[in-house]
Amino acid sequence: MSGWEQLSQYIMSGLTTGSIYALAALGFCLIYNATHIVNFAQGDFISLGGLMMYTLLGAAGLPALLALPLAVAVVAGLGVVLEAAAVGRAKSREITVLIFITVAASVLFRGVFKEVWGKQALAVPPLSPDVPLKLLGATFTPQNLWILGITLAAIAVLIYFFNHTLTGRAVRAVAINPKAAALMGIDTRRMVRLSFALAGALGALAGAIITPITTASYNVGVLMGLKGFAAAVLGGYGNFLGAIVGGLSLGLLESLGAGALSSTYKDVIAFVVLLLVLFVRPRGLLGGGEETRV
Amino acid sequence: MEPLLKVEALDMSFGGVQALSEVSFSALAGRITAVIGPNGAGKTTAINCISGVYRPQGGRVLFGGQAITGLAPHVLARQGLTRTFQNLQVFTNLTVLENVMVGLHGVTGKGFVSAMLRLPGQRAEERRIRARALEALTFLGLAARAGLPAGQLSYGDRKRVELARALVARPKLVLLDEPVAGLNPAETEEMGRVLLEVRRQGVGLLLVEHDMSLVMRVSDQVVVLHFGRQIAQGDPQAIQRHPEVLRTYLGCQDQPPPGVEPAIALEAAHA
Amino acid sequence: MNGGRAFLWQLLALAAAVVLAPLLVGNPYHLNVLNVMALNVLVVTGLNLLIGFAGHISLGHAAFYGLGAYVSGILSSTHGWDPWLSSLAAALVVALVALVIGIPTLRLAGNYLVMATLGFNLIVTILILQLDEFTGGPSGFSGIPPLKVLGRSLASDQQFYWLVWGAALLGLLLARNLADSRVGRGLKALHDSPVAAAAVGVPTAAYKVKVFVLSAVYASLAGSLYAHYFGIVTPKTFDIFFSVELVTMCLVGGMGSLWGGFFGAAFLTPLPQVLHVFDEYKDVFFGGILLVLLIYQPQGLAGLWTRHARARAARSA
Ligand SMILES: Nc1ncnc2c1ncn2[C@@H]1O[C@H](COP(=O)(O)OP(=O)(O)OP(=O)(O)O)[C@@H](O)[C@H]1O
Ligand SMILES: [Mg+2]
């Protein structure tokens, strides 16, 4: 294989995993903007997305066109439950407590997934039959194209939603200033819940499209979720464009880094990047500054 | 006399809001310098810039002749510059006494290791801290409340705890952000006496306050801010007759209505 | 964070219980559980300093514990260092690592530390698994020599019992001393209001980093004790799940309460041994307890107690 072919191979796989990180990072941003907490269960949304696809596609034999929206709906529902039954119900409003509620929920979710689906890796059928494709020397499968396409589509839908629908603008208003939004008659609690639902949906989507490549398991999303977080920090925490840029850059960095060094330490790269960003530029690539007020 | 605090051409803006533009004034040691102005004039922002909470975007701050612009608040506290807060910031999980003991943090020095191992000298320092804090509480009439959790205090008492905490280390200058806001007339009267006593002890005070009768009674100098700009500086009598100040407070009139004391007119216009 | 004189009496009572317990517990297996409990008390006490003082939570303490175990284990067995010296060296290494993680994350508002420590724990687990030349990889690292006191090695459960409980009591005492001091008040103040604490001279960023490093050192020392007690360490002992377990111990007892942490560790350590089915449902169980507590009783069990005590004080006043 020539150097060029290898490079385009790395870029292809970097963009593929980068899409997943971007989707996860967007989920983190949505919930952060609505509540100022980091949602640790974002990775479990990814796991559940994959596990649902395994059950719906494989065991129940549904067509992909039906299974995908169903999986997304189920995980979005779990997002709403997380807000309604846990985060929104907490007696304390202290951020540390709220964040730890999501940590606890994540542990609980993982335990439940393990009981239902077991510990083994489960093969998820791809969205369309595997045939090797070739482009600029890179070999890939239709699933890679599905991942890129669906991620792009999800981003387009989000952009439309936040800029051109009343509800989308209401969610943004709540993120900018919850008090003012409430005074204008926006049901802030509903918007927060909607953010959790959207974060769940994005997680499900990520899990549904990546697990045909990685296989599904009760904890497959944990690492992806964490890297999604690293991507969000890299882009500028809470910034949507930053999440996308951060996700794709992290995916590329990881795949090129693994190619250049050794794939053994591939998983370390994201966290080294995370620590470096926090060290050098905590606002991330695209984040703005913020003053505390006293 | 060389001023203790010198603020030169401070600039600070938040997004589109120019909270301070080219603000310059000075404050003398052992004197009370008041900073007044309508809501949103930039008074708190000025205190935040001086005390190191914000880093001003332009200009500089001199304290005792040294440039202190951009130094961290805890460094300034050690140099004898402390403050109180407009929105109370007492440590609600500590007792009243402990709140004031923390006020001595900058002028004491025993660290982690001596605390954990109770090394020699550590106990003696603790005793000194306790004694001085009790003294400060007594000065403010709070000794009886020393053991209470600060979270249980009334609003007025919290204000006094903040003041005790800012004074206990015998700083050179204290920045006071609305020390009598929300106090009743008797408490305000008492606070006025305390401020004058502190002044008599040689501590400089920068007093941000809306209560004009207090300001006019205790201040040596008054600085007036309006929309982030400084529109006047002078002694209280001069300020009360300053045409631009009156315009700011009373709309377009150049004179207060006949028969109304200037200080009261300012007060009324503000309310 | 408690620190008054009453604490000393309570500590004395605990010391008495520690002395009496071996008379009642003959079974070496139970003694072993008590020893593990003391190790957990040590780690949780350190973690509690961080949670109670700085208001930050670390999900990397299992990794500090693991580093303490592995570094000391490797130095003492592969390189023949004295186990005490290697434990000290491990603590130094851990302190440095904590410094590197703490400086960038703790000066930021928001809980970046949670994520950074979680990521760090993952890295450590991966490294332990991958660097099998040094660490023994997935099957673990064995042949770690026991600690020696006056030429006698503390290898038996009984001998180690005295050492580890001595360490736990000392750890509690030192933590209490810190709470009841100038530095302790500064830390509590910065937890309540960082701006006001800074305004009276508390170096808030530096204090948070120091307390984080201190809490990591507690974990490291406990880890080294673990390694020299069991003689073998495996990567699984130090994974993220153990970090969550440690935090659960802190939160069950009550965030930032030293006795709360003690009771959390004392209650949750023996559970897996008592309930055998428990192992299978561990995640559901820990996640469930933690979730319910955080939603309805964020002050933990210690919170119930203080509320009760306050109510009583209010009635009698
Ligand atoms: N951290 C901040 N972020 C954004 N805007 C700010 C911030 N701090 C102050 N401002 C704005 O700067 C202007 C000056 O505010 P400042 O608090 O200094 O006024 P003030 O004179 O203290 O008013 P008041 O008498 O009401 O306390 C206001 O318009 C305020 O909204
Ligand atoms: Mg103000």
Side-chain angles (χ1 to χ4, degrees):
Chain A
M1 218 195 294
S2 80
W4 277 115
E5 282 176 356
Q6 215 161 21
L7 187 65
S8 52
Q9 189 73 53
Y10 290 142
I11 290 177
M12 186 68 197
S13 76
L15 288 178
T16 307
T17 44
S19 300
I20 303 301
Y21 301 158
L23 289 175
L26 284 170
F28 277 112
C29 287
L30 276 167
I31 290 184
Y32 178 77
N33 287 342
T35 60
H36 276 92
I37 67 175
V38 176
N39 170 31
F40 272 80
Q42 189 65 33
D44 302 285
F45 292 161
I46 301 179
S47 305
L48 185 59
L51 293 167
M52 285 307 296
M53 285 303 269
Y54 165 80
T55 302
L56 296 172
L57 278 179
L62 293 183
L65 216 57
L66 211 61
L68 187 61
L70 216 58
V72 168
V74 167
V75 185
L78 185 67
V80 173
V81 170
L82 177 60
E83 202 285 332
V87 175
R89 188 171 280 249
K91 273 166 83 179
S92 163
R93 289 284 100 196
E94 215 177 300
I95 296 286
T96 315
V97 173
L98 296 181
I99 291 179
F100 254 76
I101 285 179
T102 72
V103 173
S106 164
V107 174
L108 179 64
F109 290 161
R110 228 174 305 152
V112 173
F113 299 166
K114 197 161 64 181
E115 295 312 316
V116 177
W117 280 281
K119 281 187 179 179
Q120 68 281 34
L122 308 165
V124 179
L127 290 174
S128 58
D130 263 337
V131 280
L133 306 172
K134 248 181 160 342
L135 180 75
L136 297 173
T139 318
F140 54 96
T141 63
Q143 189 68 26
N144 289 94
L145 294 183
W146 278 116
I147 290 176
L148 296 179
I150 288 179
T151 304
L152 277 179
I155 291 170
V157 169
L158 279 181
I159 291 176
Y160 178 80
F161 173 72
F162 281 118
N163 291 308
H164 300 286
T165 69
L166 218 54
T167 320
R169 291 194 189 161
V171 172
R172 274 174 53 190
V174 172
I176 294 166
N177 188 338
K179 280 201 193 113
L183 285 175
M184 285 163 58
I186 297 174
D187 180 350
T188 53
R189 189 74 195 274
R190 224 186 96 226
M191 296 306 144
V192 169
R193 231 166 251 182
L194 185 61
S195 303
F196 273 83
L198 280 174
L202 288 171
L205 215 50
I209 57 184
I210 194 69
T211 44
I213 296 180
T214 61
T215 72
S217 74
Y218 77 101
N219 65 359
V220 68
V222 174
L223 209 56
M224 290 186 221
L226 276 168
K227 291 181 186 172
F229 172 80
V233 172
L234 176 61
Y237 210 78
N239 181 311
F240 283 92
L241 188 60
I244 298 165
V245 172
L248 294 177
S249 331
L250 190 63
L252 286 171
L253 213 64
E254 220 181 57
S255 130
L256 293 172
L261 306 166
S262 132
S263 61
T264 329
Y265 302 111
K266 180 165 158 266
D267 291 331
V268 177
I269 293 176
F271 303 110
V272 172
V273 168
L274 173 65
L275 288 178
L276 279 181
V277 173
L278 293 179
F279 233 131
V280 179
R281 192 180 158 85
R283 283 178 290 139
L285 297 174
L286 303 179
E290 209 175 285
E291 292 272 12
T292 49
R293 202 165 177 167
V294 283
Chain B
M1 186 161 68
E2 170 81 356
L4 176 60
L5 175 79
K6 229 170 142 186
V7 171
E8 294 177 354
L10 276 194
D11 268 317
M12 185 79 194
S13 67
F14 302 99
V17 183
Q18 189 75 32
L20 294 176
S21 73
E22 302 264 317
V23 169
S24 308
F25 59 84
S26 51
L28 297 177
R31 294 286 180 271
I32 299 182
T33 308
V35 176
I36 63 170
N39 291 106
K43 306 179 297 291
T44 299
T45 305
I47 285 192
N48 283 339
C49 286
I50 297 167
S51 63
V53 174
Y54 294 161
R55 190 189 181 91
Q57 284 145 359
R60 32 177 226 157
V61 183
L62 301 173
F63 183 58
Q66 301 275 326
I68 56 162
T69 335
L71 290 188
H74 69 268
V75 177
L76 297 177
R78 287 178 193 159
Q79 296 185 6
L81 177 69
T82 62
R83 64 171 291 183
T84 66
F85 296 85
Q86 181 174 358
N87 54 342
L88 284 175
Q89 301 278 337
V90 286
F91 307 125
T92 46
N93 288 321
L94 298 184
T95 65
V96 170
L97 180 63
E98 285 171 333
N99 262 274
V100 182
M101 287 167 84
V102 175
L104 286 160
H105 201 284
V107 294
T108 43
K110 296 284 181 242
F112 277 73
V113 175
S114 24
M116 292 181 79
L117 302 179
R118 297 269 143 126
L119 293 181
Q122 194 265 352
R123 277 160 190 280
E125 187 187 85
E126 283 288 303
R127 273 196 299 276
R128 269 204 313 280
I129 291 175
R130 187 171 294 269
R132 268 180 79 175
L134 263 173
E135 220 173 274
L137 279 179
T138 311
F139 174 62
L140 281 160
L142 280 168
R145 304 234 188 337
L148 279 183
Q152 290 181 13
L153 290 184
S154 69
Y155 182 80
D157 283 345
R158 286 185 196 210
K159 287 240 154 196
R160 287 194 285 167
V161 169
E162 274 216 0
L163 186 59
R165 189 176 72 195
L167 288 174
V168 65
R170 301 192 188 125
K172 298 193 192 92
L173 181 69
V174 184
L175 316 176
L176 302 166
D177 201 348
E178 307 201 7
V180 303
L183 298 191
N184 64 33
E187 288 171 328
T188 303
E189 176 68 32
E190 168 63 23
M191 188 62 90
R193 277 201 291 115
V194 168
L195 296 186
L196 286 173
E197 174 58 24
V198 171
R199 172 187 183 277
R200 203 188 55 74
Q201 292 172 6
V203 178
L205 297 174
L206 190 77
L207 171 67
V208 165
E209 196 36 80
H210 284 302
D211 185 321
M212 287 308 149
S213 55
L214 177 78
V215 166
M216 296 308 162
R217 189 153 53 84
V218 303
S219 318
D220 300 288
Q221 280 281 306
V222 181
V223 176
V224 188
L225 296 183
H226 187 43
F227 284 126
R229 283 178 315 109
Q230 180 185 319
I231 57 173
Q233 168 159 22
D235 62 46
Q237 282 70 34
I239 288 298
Q240 288 182 58
R241 303 204 153 65
H242 195 290
E244 192 159 354
V245 176
L246 290 173
R247 215 172 303 130
T248 302
Y249 275 89
L250 297 171
C252 284
Q253 285 164 288
D254 279 15
Q255 292 293 318
V260 178
E261 279 290 308
I264 298 170
L266 289 180
E267 185 98 18
H270 183 77
Chain C
M1 193 86 346
N2 18 20
R5 192 140 292 243
F7 188 96
L8 291 180
W9 288 109
Q10 290 153 355
L11 198 66
L12 214 60
L14 176 62
V18 166
V19 171
L20 293 178
L23 302 178
L24 307 172
V25 181
N27 184 335
Y29 174 68
H30 290 162
L31 213 54
N32 176 280
V33 173
L34 283 181
N35 288 347
V36 174
M37 187 190 290
L39 289 170
N40 287 345
V41 167
L42 206 51
V43 186
V44 166
T45 300
L47 190 53
N48 243 326
L49 287 175
L50 177 70
I51 298 179
F53 277 150
H56 279 269
I57 292 184
S58 154
L59 276 182
H61 265 53
F64 295 132
Y65 189 56
L67 278 180
Y70 269 94
V71 172
S72 186
I74 292 170
L75 285 179
S76 60
S77 108
T78 312
H79 301 277
W81 290 31
D82 178 81
W84 289 110
L85 194 64
S86 65
S87 302
L88 219 62
L92 217 62
V93 170
V94 165
L96 275 177
V97 172
L99 208 59
V100 170
I101 299 173
I103 289 175
T105 47
L106 284 165
R107 66 184 167 159
L108 303 175
N111 255 293
Y112 284 92
L113 184 74
V114 183
M115 278 294 184
T117 48
L118 181 55
F120 164 70
N121 209 329
L122 283 173
I123 296 182
V124 168
T125 307
I126 293 170
L127 289 181
I128 291 178
L129 287 170
Q130 299 293 349
L131 296 171
D132 49 9
E133 235 178 287
F134 309 100
T135 62
S139 51
F141 185 86
S142 54
I144 302 168
L147 288 159
K148 283 201 185 86
V149 171
L150 304 174
R152 283 183 29 190
S153 63
L154 305 176
S156 77
D157 292 320
Q158 183 73 55
Q159 289 163 323
F160 187 71
Y161 175 89
W162 298 114
L163 175 69
V164 72
W165 275 102
L169 289 169
L170 186 65
L172 280 165
L173 178 68
L174 295 187
R176 173 265 174 194
N177 283 351
L178 184 66
D180 185 26
S181 75
R182 163 180 179 270
V183 172
R185 285 186 301 271
L187 285 163
K188 283 183 264 190
L190 92 83
H191 188 12
D192 269 357
S193 166
V195 266
V200 286
V202 179
T204 51
Y207 267 26
K208 281 195 225 173
V209 171
K210 281 185 186 172
V211 85
F212 178 59
V213 169
L214 177 65
S215 90
V217 166
Y218 264 80
S220 171
L221 290 174
S224 302
L225 288 175
Y226 175 101
H228 296 293
Y229 171 43
F230 285 101
I232 174 166
V233 285
T234 55
K236 230 189 133 338
T237 321
F238 313 112
D239 63 6
I240 291 211
F241 187 77
F242 187 55
S243 278
V244 174
E245 218 172 300
L246 289 168
V247 172
T248 312
M249 289 175 188
C250 287
L251 298 191
V252 164
M255 272 197 242
S257 144
L258 289 177
W259 284 125
F262 169 79
F263 283 113
F267 172 63
L268 290 177
T269 308
L271 261 192
Q273 271 80 18
V274 178
L275 294 163
H276 279 300
V277 279
F278 180 87
D279 222 29
E280 172 68 22
Y281 298 100
K282 212 169 165 184
D283 299 5
V284 178
F285 185 81
F286 269 102
I289 293 193
L290 198 52
L291 195 57
V292 171
L293 263 175
L294 286 169
I295 296 174
Y296 298 104
Q297 180 58 40
Q299 299 313 312
L301 302 179
L304 282 179
W305 170 254
T306 19
R307 202 157 48 180
H308 172 74
R310 281 225 183 104
R312 215 174 35 191
R315 266 200 308 278
S316 64

